[in-house]
Amino acid sequence: MTELLLHEPLDMHLHLRDGEMLRTVAPLSAHSFSGALIMPNLIPPITDAESLRAYRQRILEAIGDEIFEPYMTLFFKAEYDLDFLAPLAEEVTAIKLYPAGITTNSEGGVSGFDLETLSPALEAMSKLGIPLCIHGESSGFVMDREKEFVPVYEALADAFPDLAIVMEHITTAESLEALERHPNLFATITLHHLLITLDDVAGGMLQPHLFCKPIAKRPEDREALLRAALEAHPKVMFGSDSAPHPRHTKEAPGCAAGVFTAPIALPVLAELFAQHDKLENLQHFVSNNAQRIYDITPPKKKVRLTDTPMKVPERYGEVVPMFAGEEIGWSIAEVSEE
Amino acid sequence: MTELLLHEPLDMHLHLRDGEMLRTVAPLSAHSFSGALIMPNLIPPITDAESLRAYRQRILEAIGDEIFEPYMTLFFKAEYDLDFLAPLAEEVTAIKLYPAGITTNSEGGVSGFDLETLSPALEAMSKLGIPLCIHGESSGFVMDREKEFVPVYEALADAFPDLAIVMEHITTAESLEALERHPNLFATITLHHLLITLDDVAGGMLQPHLFCKPIAKRPEDREALLRAALEAHPKVMFGSDSAPHPRHTKEAPGCAAGVFTAPIALPVLAELFAQHDKLENLQHFVSNNAQRIYDITPPKKKVRLTDTPMKVPERYGEVVPMFAGEEIGWSIAEVSEE
């Protein structure tokens, strides 16, 4: 038996939703992760101290006794300035910027990337050390959207050199290259983008449970992402972008975008890293890099994983996970507080 | 009111299926088309005279009193030789070649393109004047499959210069370019590939009713196809690839590939050609080119179309058509035998 002990695993891009869905999915992340960066794209989005605190409270209630830190984010607004942000700096781990309309519940996002308009908010964030997380896609052709957004990332990185900018859920080789050119650019990579390409979504039969935004790209993109993760590239962090949707909204025309991976992420990552003989790097990919980039100290939690197969449930509540009903090669043997 | 009179419209790539589905969809094509090239990928596929004749008979029974010629095809087998094909030459309009496993019911297709193996059949077809229709996709990455197949088309066209080869349902600019290099290459283009790109399938929400093989490609591909159709490129014919699947197989994980367009194809084509001020070219795209390329004389049928809007039904039997429930700008005013 092979085993791996992970300390303080972190999911730096997580959708917990709200209400009944929150109560279904939050305990699943809280069980195996020490903390997660919580996305703010609720309806309405989290844009002030009051809703941020209330959401954090609802998350803590949903997870019960689990040791788990919800690292909270605000939904970016150009109106945020130093006066607004300064009193919140301790409670806000990051601010998430969505181009308007680009993904689930992003209608109130940014409609242009005029640096002058964005400047007061981004200067305030630089000063306060609050990283900016971006869903970086243009409104162009679906396979080009991320590539077309790279110049925006680069312009922002140049204009605000003291601002840490996280390119969220990157899917292309071009985004990895941009990381190398700018000291203040970082990235998250999901589990599913390490595993699938567009072929898995639409190359055989159409698979709505693998449909996500950004859409899975080409084999050479997946290879580049996998190399960066396996080598635990110091500017790259794990962020699942685990996005629960009720089954009926996935298995119908107008299928919502998102892959639900939170409960199986750590075992599948362990299996993937073991297959490539890189188990020793997983600790960096799922925790150490994020702790350093975000300057956070998550609560103590040890997760022991072994290469004991497990069958993934068909559903968690109304949500169908990745690998539903299939056997995966690793499982969580034990979770403990240190 | 604008109107257009089409003579003997032809659909040179049509799936009619069998049994109950055949009885549902065949009358819809037979109502507005004068004839169609009938695809042979049943289970089991049509590979001999007996099953070909029996299938033709079932089609004729399904269409009732409509004037409609089902141009029959065989499912390509390397075993076909002159002795086998010569007695069938009058009944077989074309032979359809599928790479093994590339689309619906294609498991018994060709697994390699060894010219020596294929030679007896292709020489016999050349001699008998039977065109070869090919679903030209490699088994590579979904967006590259057609482009990767172009060298196979070109090798076949060079090796069998007397064989008419039809590149079926082309979706890329590269395939159009190959047409120009080989006098014996021709092509069909579907309605949906003139209208949609991958953006329409997976760029917003996922739309299973627009999922098809070959998958819709890039905007510049669609533009190139549209130009060729609107100009009624003399080597290009309309072939709907209308592919009915029961709704429950489209609106579920593992969604089948195919767009059902047969009943709305002529009005939507008229609307499209009218929008581009090319109505006068539609007759060539939907009939004259095919008559010349296949050397066929379809039964007389006049279809009068007008720019009177119509609402597309939500379903035909269990099949959801393209534009289900939406209004389209043109409709069929009258069909008559001359």
Side-chain angles (χ1 to χ4, degrees):
Chain A
M1 191 177 74
T2 310
E3 74 165 46
L4 174 69
L5 199 60
L6 288 177
H7 297 265
E8 292 82 63
L10 294 170
D11 178 350
M12 297 312 286
H13 188 127
L14 180 63
H15 295 275
L16 288 181
R17 313 300 190 202
D18 213 339
E20 186 59 35
M21 184 63 90
L22 169 65
R23 288 187 288 275
T24 299
V25 304
L28 300 169
S29 284
H31 177 64
S32 54
F33 288 92
S34 177
L37 192 72
I38 310 300
M39 293 298 116
N41 56 332
L42 305 183
I43 305 173
I46 305 295
T47 54
D48 57 40
E50 194 183 354
S51 60
L52 181 119
R53 286 168 195 153
Y55 188 34
R56 183 169 192 279
Q57 193 53 40
R58 294 197 297 282
I59 295 169
L60 293 175
E61 280 161 21
I63 65 177
D65 292 338
E66 301 284 359
I67 301 297
F68 178 79
E69 181 63 34
Y71 293 101
M72 302 306 290
T73 63
L74 286 173
F75 188 101
F76 181 87
K77 291 280 175 194
E79 298 87 77
Y80 297 159
D81 60 13
L82 199 56
D83 286 348
F84 173 83
L85 288 176
L88 285 171
E90 288 303 301
E91 297 167 79
V92 171
T93 302
I95 297 179
K96 174 75 183 287
L97 186 156
Y98 293 88
I102 209 70
T103 192
T104 308
N105 305 340
S106 63
E107 291 71 21
V110 169
S111 283
F113 284 87
D114 175 53
L115 294 185
E116 202 173 328
T117 311
L118 301 178
S119 187
L122 299 185
E123 288 293 359
M125 292 169 66
S126 301
K127 219 163 258 165
L128 297 166
I130 302 175
L132 176 70
C133 301
I134 305 184
H135 179 127
E137 290 197 284
S138 75
S139 56
F141 179 61
V142 62
M143 295 296 280
D144 300 341
R145 287 176 192 169
E146 183 171 305
K147 189 165 54 183
E148 288 175 354
F149 198 87
V150 168
V152 180
Y153 278 129
E154 303 208 63
L156 290 169
D158 281 339
F160 304 96
D162 299 328
L163 178 66
I165 298 174
V166 184
M167 310 165 78
E168 293 295 334
H169 44 53
I170 60 169
T171 61
T172 63
E174 285 86 354
S175 292
L176 284 166
E177 290 160 15
L179 276 186
E180 306 303 324
R181 292 191 291 267
H182 302 272
N184 55 330
L185 277 187
F186 304 91
T188 56
I189 301 179
T190 73
L191 172 61
H192 50 282
H193 289 119
L194 295 177
L195 299 173
I196 67 171
T197 70
L198 184 63
D199 271 347
D200 299 282
V201 185
M205 299 306 198
L206 193 67
Q207 302 299 352
H209 292 292
L210 299 179
F211 171 60
C212 57
K213 294 188 175 191
I215 204 156
K217 300 295 189 309
R218 302 182 52 89
E220 54 271 32
D221 291 309
R222 190 190 73 92
E223 282 305 313
L225 298 171
L226 189 56
R227 268 197 311 276
L230 292 173
E231 297 304 331
H233 187 299
K235 299 178 84 179
V236 166
M237 306 166 272
F238 174 64
S240 69
D241 195 15
S242 181
H245 293 279
R247 184 175 165 217
H248 71 272
T249 68
K250 291 290 286 180
E251 301 184 0
C255 157
V259 183
F260 184 60
T261 55
I264 52 114
L266 290 181
V268 177
L269 281 171
E271 185 175 11
L272 182 65
F273 277 62
Q275 279 163 356
H276 291 85
D277 208 14
K278 293 286 181 186
L279 264 185
E280 72 279 11
N281 287 346
L282 186 53
Q283 177 65 39
H284 297 272
F285 180 59
V286 300
S287 186
N288 300 9
N289 290 354
Q291 291 188 47
R292 190 184 63 253
I293 294 166
Y294 275 98
D295 190 21
I296 53 178
T297 305
K300 293 287 180 195
K301 187 180 270 186
K302 269 195 305 211
V303 179
R304 192 163 64 85
L305 295 137
T306 63
D307 59 352
T308 309
M310 69 169 270
K311 195 178 170 209
V312 176
E314 293 285 351
R315 297 195 226 164
Y316 293 91
E318 277 305 297
V319 184
V320 178
M322 194 176 191
F323 300 115
E326 293 177 46
E327 189 175 276
I328 57 177
W330 280 60
S331 53
I332 294 175
E334 194 187 359
V335 179
S336 63
E337 305 160 32
E338 280 149 312
Chain B
M1 190 177 75
T2 309
E3 75 166 44
L4 174 70
L5 198 61
L6 288 177
H7 297 265
E8 291 82 62
L10 293 170
D11 179 349
M12 297 311 287
H13 188 126
L14 180 62
H15 295 276
L16 288 180
R17 313 302 189 200
D18 212 339
E20 186 58 34
M21 184 64 90
L22 169 65
R23 288 188 286 275
T24 299
V25 303
L28 301 169
S29 284
H31 176 63
S32 54
F33 288 92
S34 178
L37 192 73
I38 311 300
M39 293 298 115
N41 56 331
L42 304 183
I43 304 173
I46 305 294
T47 54
D48 58 39
E50 194 183 354
S51 60
L52 180 118
R53 287 168 195 153
Y55 188 35
R56 183 170 192 278
Q57 193 52 42
R58 293 198 298 282
I59 294 169
L60 293 175
E61 280 161 20
I63 64 176
D65 291 338
E66 302 283 0
I67 301 297
F68 178 79
E69 181 63 34
Y71 293 101
M72 302 304 291
T73 63
L74 286 174
F75 188 101
F76 181 87
K77 290 281 175 192
E79 299 86 79
Y80 297 159
D81 59 14
L82 198 55
D83 287 346
F84 174 83
L85 288 177
L88 285 171
E90 289 303 302
E91 297 167 78
V92 172
T93 303
I95 297 178
K96 174 74 183 285
L97 187 156
Y98 293 88
I102 209 70
T103 192
T104 309
N105 305 340
S106 64
E107 292 71 19
V110 170
S111 283
F113 285 87
D114 175 51
L115 295 185
E116 202 173 330
T117 311
L118 300 177
S119 187
L122 300 185
E123 289 292 1
M125 291 169 66
S126 301
K127 221 163 257 167
L128 297 166
I130 302 174
L132 176 70
C133 302
I134 305 183
H135 180 127
E137 290 196 285
S138 75
S139 55
F141 179 61
V142 63
M143 294 297 278
D144 300 341
R145 287 176 193 169
E146 182 171 305
K147 189 165 54 183
E148 288 175 354
F149 198 87
V150 169
V152 181
Y153 278 129
E154 303 210 62
L156 290 169
D158 281 339
F160 304 96
D162 299 326
L163 179 66
I165 299 174
V166 184
M167 310 164 78
E168 294 295 334
H169 43 54
I170 60 169
T171 60
T172 62
E174 286 86 355
S175 291
L176 283 166
E177 291 160 15
L179 276 186
E180 307 303 325
R181 293 192 290 268
H182 302 271
N184 55 330
L185 278 186
F186 304 91
T188 56
I189 300 180
T190 73
L191 172 62
H192 49 283
H193 289 119
L194 296 177
L195 299 173
I196 66 171
T197 69
L198 184 64
D199 272 348
D200 299 282
V201 185
M205 299 305 197
L206 194 66
Q207 302 299 351
H209 292 292
L210 299 179
F211 171 60
C212 57
K213 294 188 175 189
I215 202 155
K217 301 294 189 309
R218 303 180 52 87
E220 55 270 30
D221 291 310
R222 190 190 73 92
E223 283 304 314
L225 299 171
L226 189 56
R227 268 197 309 277
L230 291 173
E231 298 303 333
H233 186 299
K235 299 179 83 180
V236 166
M237 305 166 272
F238 174 63
S240 70
D241 196 15
S242 181
H245 292 279
R247 183 174 165 216
H248 70 272
T249 67
K250 290 290 287 180
E251 301 185 359
C255 158
V259 183
F260 183 59
T261 55
I264 51 112
L266 291 181
V268 177
L269 282 170
E271 185 175 11
L272 183 64
F273 276 62
Q275 279 164 357
H276 292 85
D277 208 15
K278 293 286 180 186
L279 264 186
E280 73 279 11
N281 288 347
L282 185 52
Q283 177 64 40
H284 296 273
F285 180 58
V286 299
S287 186
N288 300 9
N289 289 355
Q291 291 188 47
R292 190 183 65 251
I293 293 166
Y294 275 98
D295 190 20
I296 52 178
T297 305
K300 294 286 180 196
K301 186 179 272 186
K302 270 196 305 212
V303 179
R304 191 162 65 85
L305 295 138
T306 63
D307 60 351
T308 309
M310 67 168 270
K311 194 176 170 211
V312 177
E314 294 283 353
R315 297 196 225 161
Y316 293 91
E318 277 305 297
V319 184
V320 178
M322 193 176 190
F323 299 116
E326 294 178 44
E327 188 175 276
I328 57 177
W330 280 60
S331 52
I332 294 176
E334 193 188 0
V335 179
S336 63
E337 303 162 32
E338 280 148 314

